[in-house]
Amino acid sequence: MFGKKREGNMGIPRGKGALTAKIVLAFVVLALLAGNSYYSIQEEEQAVVSTFGSPKAVTTPGLHFKIPFIQTVTKVNTTIQGFNIGYRDGTDADDVGDDTIEDALMITSDYNFIYVDFYAEYRVTDPVKALYASENPALVLKNIAQNCIRTTIGSYSVDSVLTTGKNEIQSNIKQMILDKLEMYDIGIQLVNITIQDATPPTAEVENAFKEVETAKQGKETALNNANKYRNEQIPNAEAESDKILQDAEAKKQERINEANGQAARFNSMYQEYAKYPEVTKKRMFYEAMEDVLPDVKVVIEGEGGNTTTMLPLDSFVSQEGGTGADAAVTEQDNGQDAGMDEEE
């Protein structure tokens, strides 16, 4: 009776309460199933969907569906990531441990110790292999990189590592790592590896190499300046050479033309001479005299120290209207008369 009375006081039959609980439970189960039946992929990641242990890569960004409790989804970051070899990001001296120093300390081909710091960048190319081919692919890549770095540094001299050989060393290390990653096939790819810093183990050696580097830079600067001066002077010299050659060619052509003209004139004169030899001789004589006489000064010395200037003829012309020829003739007559008196 007590039970009946309590049931009557509650006002809720046993059958309806059980039904409500089942409905609530069903809604909870449906909500869990609905919440576990989809997943989203961002632009910078990919997903690996495993169905009963069989993985499959999903690379398309956006919302995707899966079978709850049957399929599992693991997301993989596909952006470029990196790690340090030989140094840490912290600037505090305590942050650099013995392992880091040991990674940075290497020996060169000429048996010198040197500290070299590298930074490697990589990205996931196959998310399935990145998850299942190895437990930690980034660690595998780091071990490969350390091995390739030490092998390559050991084949170069300390001078090359510190100064001129950095680009070649980086290229060789990168190619060696890519070859080993292709052989291991762990789903990741090396993007780049660079030398961050390379220093000798002691300050004295470091200063010496800095001086060597400064001297080499000075040498390069001097060579660049010399090449610049050469590049400036060579065009000027070539232009001057071309000008001299052109002037010589013009003078050569002028002389040739002049010679050809004189030869043609001589041939024409010879033809006239062949026709009229005597006339041509006289004409040539008169033309020669016309060229010679204006520059000839004739002085006649008489007895008693008297001199008479016969040529040039313009000296016989008086500026006062008289004629110099009359004065010359008179002076000549006086000289002749004086000579006749002496003979008598």
Side-chain angles (χ1 to χ4, degrees):
M1 293 179 62
F2 179 77
K4 292 182 179 180
K5 185 178 181 180
R6 183 176 181 182
E7 183 179 354
N9 292 336
M10 294 293 295
I12 301 176
R14 288 180 178 270
K16 291 183 178 180
L19 180 60
T20 302
K22 291 180 180 180
I23 293 174
V24 171
L25 181 60
F27 274 112
V28 172
V29 172
L30 290 175
L32 290 175
L33 292 175
N36 200 28
S37 62
Y38 68 90
Y39 61 95
S40 62
I41 301 177
Q42 304 298 325
E43 291 286 344
E44 66 278 1
E45 61 185 8
Q46 296 180 6
V48 176
V49 179
S50 180
T51 305
F52 295 114
S54 177
K56 179 182 179 182
V58 179
T59 60
T60 305
L63 188 64
H64 300 269
F65 293 94
K66 66 173 182 175
I67 302 174
F69 306 111
I70 296 177
Q71 293 181 326
T72 59
V73 178
T74 305
K75 297 179 182 180
V76 179
N77 186 3
T78 58
T79 59
I80 296 177
Q81 305 175 66
F83 55 82
N84 304 318
I85 301 176
Y87 77 102
R88 297 180 182 176
D89 294 334
T91 58
D92 190 0
D94 295 336
D95 189 39
V96 180
D98 294 336
D99 294 339
T100 302
I101 296 176
E102 185 178 353
D103 292 341
L105 184 61
M106 303 179 191
I107 187 170
T108 59
S109 62
D110 50 358
Y111 304 104
N112 285 298
F113 289 98
I114 186 173
Y115 291 110
V116 187
D117 303 330
F118 286 85
Y119 186 77
E121 295 177 305
Y122 69 95
R123 65 184 181 90
V124 175
T125 56
D126 189 331
V128 175
K129 292 179 180 179
L131 287 177
Y132 296 101
S134 63
E135 182 178 357
N136 190 344
L139 181 59
V140 174
L141 174 60
K142 186 172 183 179
N143 292 332
I144 294 174
Q146 288 177 339
N147 178 265
C148 295
I149 288 170
R150 292 188 179 278
T151 302
T152 305
I153 294 295
S155 62
Y156 283 85
S157 64
V158 65
D159 184 60
S160 299
V161 178
L162 291 174
T163 55
T164 59
K166 290 184 178 180
N167 292 332
E168 182 179 349
I169 291 172
Q170 291 176 171
S171 178
N172 293 340
I173 292 174
K174 181 178 180 180
Q175 187 59 47
M176 190 180 299
I177 295 174
L178 290 175
D179 293 340
K180 290 193 175 184
L181 284 178
E182 183 178 0
M183 180 178 62
Y184 293 146
D185 194 18
I186 57 176
I188 61 176
Q189 182 183 25
L190 180 70
V191 176
N192 195 21
I193 184 167
T194 56
I195 297 177
Q196 298 295 309
D197 192 16
T199 58
T202 62
E204 292 80 3
V205 177
E206 182 177 1
N207 293 332
F209 276 105
K210 286 182 179 179
E211 292 177 359
V212 172
E213 183 66 20
T214 302
K216 289 184 177 180
Q217 292 177 358
K219 173 186 174 183
E220 293 295 330
T221 302
L223 288 175
N224 293 334
N225 292 335
N227 291 331
K228 179 182 177 183
Y229 179 77
R230 181 192 64 181
N231 295 334
E232 291 176 352
Q233 294 300 318
I234 286 178
N236 296 334
E238 291 177 348
E240 186 68 20
S241 174
D242 292 340
K243 182 177 181 298
I244 293 174
L245 291 175
Q246 291 174 3
D247 293 342
E249 189 67 26
K251 188 167 291 186
K252 166 190 170 184
Q253 195 63 37
E254 181 182 353
R255 296 294 293 274
I256 291 174
N257 295 335
E258 182 180 355
N260 291 333
Q262 291 179 356
R265 180 172 175 271
F266 177 81
N267 291 332
S268 64
M269 291 178 63
Y270 177 76
Q271 292 175 1
E272 294 296 329
Y273 174 79
K275 293 179 182 178
Y276 309 101
E278 293 299 328
V279 175
T280 304
K281 286 181 180 180
K282 290 182 179 180
R283 183 170 62 82
M284 292 176 65
F285 174 77
Y286 293 148
E287 290 177 354
M289 290 299 102
E290 288 179 356
D291 294 336
V292 172
L293 289 178
D295 297 329
V296 174
K297 183 177 182 181
V298 180
V299 178
I300 301 175
E301 182 179 358
E303 295 181 2
N306 296 323
T307 60
T308 301
T309 302
M310 300 299 294
L311 293 173
L313 298 178
D314 55 358
S315 63
F316 291 91
V317 180
S318 175
Q319 297 181 353
E320 296 179 356
T323 59
D326 296 338
V329 171
T330 303
E331 184 177 357
Q332 184 177 4
D333 292 341
N334 293 333
Q336 292 176 355
D337 293 340
M340 292 174 63
D341 293 339
E342 290 179 358
E343 290 178 357
E344 294 176 356

